[in-house]
Amino acid sequence: MRKTMTVLALSLVLVGLLAASALAGTMVTYANFPPAKTFPCVQMERWKTEVEKRTGGELTVQTFPGSTLLGAKNMLRGVQTGQADIGCISIAYYPGVFPLMSAVNLPVAFTSTEAASLTMWDLFQKYQPEEFKDVKVLTMFTSAPSQIMSKEPVKTLADLKGMELRASGTILRVLSALGAQGVGMPMSETPEALQKGVVKGLVSSFDVLKDFNFADICRHETITNLPVYPFAVIMNKAKWESLPGDVKEVLNDLGREQAQWTGRYLDAHIDDSLNWSREKYQVEVHTLTPAEHAELKKLGQPLVDDWKAECAKDGIDADAVLKDLLEYQAKYESL
């Protein structure tokens, strides 16, 4: 009798476990590299919430911010090999790997993150570039336009002569053409570099004024609308193909919506960051003249020429891509 009850109990436990497993559905891992409070991870958590809600828990997402699973430079390979099911990559970390979508990083003077993110998504949808053939793209978005934050005022482009500024990527070349001294370094090292006078400021988006408290040191902010940085959220191809059709439909439907949500979120966060900086540290915001903005675009032309040459190696019609990008930009910035 006791043996029969034991077998029955074990059977009930097994049935319970199987039922729980069925209810739990599929769990996927999502790796991200910046700190949890920054916008790429904020959008990650929003995406997780929406996916779990819209699939009724059929797909659950375990998130790993702050390089706890994969870092920025091994994110692509880590997703391709299945170390993470999903990952957020910064295209700027992979020079030459994503030539077509690197167009979004050109100095075309985006004025809003929403416009830049929707432009990126539309460009991807139109061209479906081969450079992403080994992964499934879930969504895309950009950083906010890059601006100057400095200890000393930059009221004109001439004020940049000889100024040491932390920057990265293509912006370093624009600064060099302006006579400034661009210094490449990780964002994590920048606060100490500012305090020690190694750099006099930085070029990034204004969200870092609040997120990293740069407003405490850099009391002068100059609107330059230098390049945005493109990001893509990618999924392991085999994991994607293993998902049920209804789950795939939810993820596909979220692609453009998530791009727009992230852009709007970051634009609002930029406004909040600037208002917070004005109230707490009385920062000053400086604007350039239309002629100076035109000069910035002119100085960025060599970057466009280099990008076109890179595209030519891969058989990409760079002129057509750039034409579409500028049309999408004009469309979304006019809304």
Side-chain angles (χ1 to χ4, degrees):
M1 181 69 176
R2 184 178 297 172
K3 184 177 180 181
T4 302
M5 291 181 66
T6 301
V7 171
L8 179 61
L10 287 172
S11 298
L12 289 172
V13 168
L14 182 59
V15 169
L17 287 172
L18 290 171
S21 177
L23 286 171
T26 302
M27 192 276 287
V28 293
T29 55
Y30 185 160
N32 219 327
F33 61 91
K37 67 179 180 179
T38 58
F39 80 93
C41 291
V42 171
Q43 74 77 32
M44 174 175 70
E45 296 301 333
R46 186 267 177 178
W47 186 87
K48 162 190 163 72
T49 299
E50 289 300 313
V51 165
E52 292 178 348
K53 179 174 70 176
R54 297 182 194 194
T55 64
E58 189 175 355
L59 185 68
T60 57
V61 185
Q62 185 177 5
T63 57
F64 295 87
S67 298
T68 50
L69 181 56
L70 291 170
K73 293 187 178 180
N74 64 350
M75 188 69 69
L76 175 61
R77 184 65 179 160
V79 171
Q80 289 174 329
T81 58
Q83 290 177 264
D85 298 315
I86 302 169
C88 178
I89 61 169
S90 171
I91 286 176
Y93 280 106
Y94 300 93
V97 177
F98 303 104
L100 194 150
M101 294 312 301
S102 292
V104 184
N105 184 226
L106 294 174
V108 297
F110 280 107
T111 59
S112 86
T113 323
E114 181 180 1
S117 296
L118 287 173
T119 293
M120 185 180 183
W121 183 251
D122 282 2
L123 207 62
F124 174 76
Q125 289 298 308
K126 177 169 183 175
Y127 286 93
Q128 296 291 313
E130 278 287 298
E131 57 207 49
F132 282 97
K133 64 182 174 59
D134 294 328
V135 294
K136 165 65 180 177
V137 173
L138 296 174
T139 191
M140 291 180 161
F141 53 86
T142 74
S143 68
S146 300
Q147 321 290 4
I148 294 173
M149 292 154 270
S150 54
K151 294 180 177 181
E152 302 163 5
V154 176
K155 296 182 179 180
T156 70
L157 293 180
D159 293 333
L160 289 168
K161 297 287 184 184
M163 183 177 284
E164 301 91 350
L165 295 170
R166 180 270 174 194
S168 62
T170 55
I171 292 173
L172 289 167
R173 288 180 60 185
V174 177
L175 290 176
S176 178
L178 288 165
Q181 295 183 33
V183 181
M185 68 173 66
M187 189 66 80
S188 58
E189 296 176 12
T190 306
E192 184 178 357
L194 283 165
Q195 289 167 354
K196 291 183 175 179
V198 175
V199 294
K200 302 296 191 303
L202 68 150
V203 184
S204 185
S205 49
F206 281 150
D207 49 300
V208 300
L209 286 171
K210 183 176 183 181
D211 290 351
F212 290 91
N213 202 36
F214 283 130
D216 184 23
I217 303 174
C218 299
R219 304 294 175 92
H220 295 276
E221 330 309 338
T222 307
I223 296 175
T224 52
N225 292 327
L226 287 168
V228 300
Y229 287 93
F231 294 79
V233 178
I234 57 173
M235 188 175 205
N236 176 273
K237 201 70 171 287
K239 177 59 73 172
W240 166 257
E241 290 171 354
S242 73
L243 296 177
D246 58 337
V247 171
K248 288 181 178 177
E249 186 176 351
V250 168
L251 301 190
N252 281 330
D253 288 346
L254 259 173
R256 186 182 189 278
E257 177 189 323
Q258 185 70 13
Q260 184 168 37
W261 184 92
T262 306
R264 285 180 174 174
Y265 164 80
L266 190 49
D267 285 336
H269 187 48
I270 293 291
D271 289 341
D272 175 63
S273 182
L274 277 172
N275 290 333
W276 176 86
S277 300
R278 287 188 179 103
E279 292 173 10
K280 189 172 178 66
Y281 295 109
Q282 293 75 54
V283 303
E284 294 183 55
V285 179
H286 309 290
T287 56
L288 301 175
T289 65
E292 286 177 307
H293 279 290
E295 178 67 14
L296 283 176
K297 277 193 175 184
K298 181 181 176 182
L299 291 173
Q301 187 57 43
L303 297 171
V304 177
D305 295 339
D306 288 351
W307 170 75
K308 287 183 177 182
E310 190 70 29
C311 284
K313 295 177 187 176
D314 292 277
I316 297 169
D317 186 345
D319 289 323
V321 173
L322 185 57
K323 179 177 180 290
D324 285 328
L325 183 149
L326 294 174
E327 287 179 358
Y328 293 144
Q329 177 188 18
K331 170 186 172 182
Y332 289 120
E333 292 196 337
S334 67
L335 296 179

